[in-house]
Amino acid sequence: MSVTASPTRAGRWPGVRPWLGVAARLGLAAVWLIAGASKVGDLAASGRAVNAYQVLPYDVATVVGAALPFVELALGVLLLLGLATRLGAGVSAVLLVVFIAGIASAWARGLSIDCGCFGSGGQLAQGQAPSYLPEILRDLGFLMLAGFLLIWPRTPVSVDGWLSGEPAVEDEDE
């Protein structure tokens, strides 16, 4: 007696998961490319934004601020191409945890700053209110994308897949 099972969520997951990975990879790539591109034109402003957190000495903050856009752009390119995806996701996760901790620290210490995530950042003008909670929630969402890619880095349409010669989409008949 043969029983034909209808597809279940668990049965579809192996076929859908790689495409969710593509969406996560490209979404996170877009975030890094936009963030890096928005800062690379004014590295001094990026350094001032890092310094506004009052966590690092001024000279260190300016160096970190000047380097950060290039790190973000490099992560964006790696993730866009799907090259070293797990490494890119891991570095992304670490950076996002640092960013979340920095924003939470600024909030807890009563600083009134713009995070500088997608621009110059720094001290807010008198009367402007910081938006720490939405920034933290946004970064937690990005962290979830990075976490997904840490667990399932293999995605279709990626250099990683091309180099390995293995399909990223599992055969659903297995």
Side-chain angles (χ1 to χ4, degrees):
M1 178 171 166
S2 161
V3 176
T4 305
S6 65
T8 63
R9 272 194 227 164
R12 287 189 298 248
W13 175 247
V16 172
R17 184 183 66 224
W19 296 104
L20 290 175
V22 170
R25 185 171 55 81
L26 295 179
L28 201 52
V31 167
W32 291 128
L33 290 170
I34 293 167
S38 70
K39 293 182 271 217
V40 77
D42 191 352
L43 298 180
S46 183
R48 287 190 300 275
V50 172
N51 188 56
Y53 285 88
Q54 301 174 13
V55 178
L56 301 171
Y58 178 79
D59 291 338
V60 174
T62 57
V63 170
V64 168
L68 188 58
F70 297 102
V71 171
E72 291 171 336
L73 289 170
L75 285 172
V77 169
L78 287 175
L79 290 167
L80 182 65
L81 296 174
L83 178 61
T85 302
R86 182 170 275 148
L87 175 65
V91 173
S92 295
V94 169
L95 276 178
L96 288 162
V97 167
V98 168
F99 294 164
I100 292 166
I103 294 167
S105 171
W107 192 5
R109 292 179 291 135
L111 299 179
S112 184
I113 62 173
D114 178 324
C115 75
C117 302
F118 295 96
S120 58
Q123 297 295 327
L124 290 174
Q126 188 70 20
Q128 285 186 305
S131 57
Y132 296 131
L133 182 58
E135 291 166 354
I136 289 171
L137 293 175
R138 177 202 61 214
D139 286 355
L140 284 170
F142 297 153
L143 183 58
M144 289 172 46
L145 295 178
F148 186 97
L149 292 171
L150 274 169
I151 297 168
W152 296 291
R154 290 287 320 231
T155 62
V157 195
S158 68
V159 174
D160 288 341
W162 177 74
L163 290 173
S164 73
E166 297 175 20
V169 180
E170 291 90 6
D171 185 358
E172 291 187 38
D173 294 333
E174 292 178 0

